[in-house]
Amino acid sequence: RNVTRATEEQTSPPSFATLEKEKMQLEEKLAITISEVSVYSELLIRLPAQATHLRRFQFEAKSTSIYLTGRINALEKILNVL
């Protein structure tokens, strides 16, 4: 019986509330990531000897920010039509 229930949960479409919760979680992650980018910018000024590492970390954080923004935008669009 548990196997059937698990299968039903996997195949049923996510609810509006589930998608809204996912969007909110992504927005929280995005806020953290944006803050991270800002800190790397500040540290570049304070620790120029570590510029190679800091630029790499900053690039990774910016890439994550772009990814999260895309997911948020997609969820927002589908939530607006549900």
Side-chain angles (χ1 to χ4, degrees), residues 7-52:
T7 303
E8 288 173 3
E9 289 175 2
Q10 290 174 357
T11 58
S12 63
S15 68
F16 183 90
T18 302
L19 293 174
E20 183 67 29
K21 182 179 177 182
E22 182 180 342
K23 180 179 168 267
M24 289 174 56
Q25 290 171 338
L26 290 169
E27 288 171 335
E28 289 173 7
K29 289 179 183 178
L30 178 60
I32 292 166
T33 304
I34 289 170
S35 177
E36 188 179 346
V37 171
S38 177
V39 171
Y40 292 136
S41 294
E42 293 170 18
L43 290 174
L44 276 166
I45 295 166
R46 293 170 49 197
L47 302 169
Q50 298 300 319
T52 302

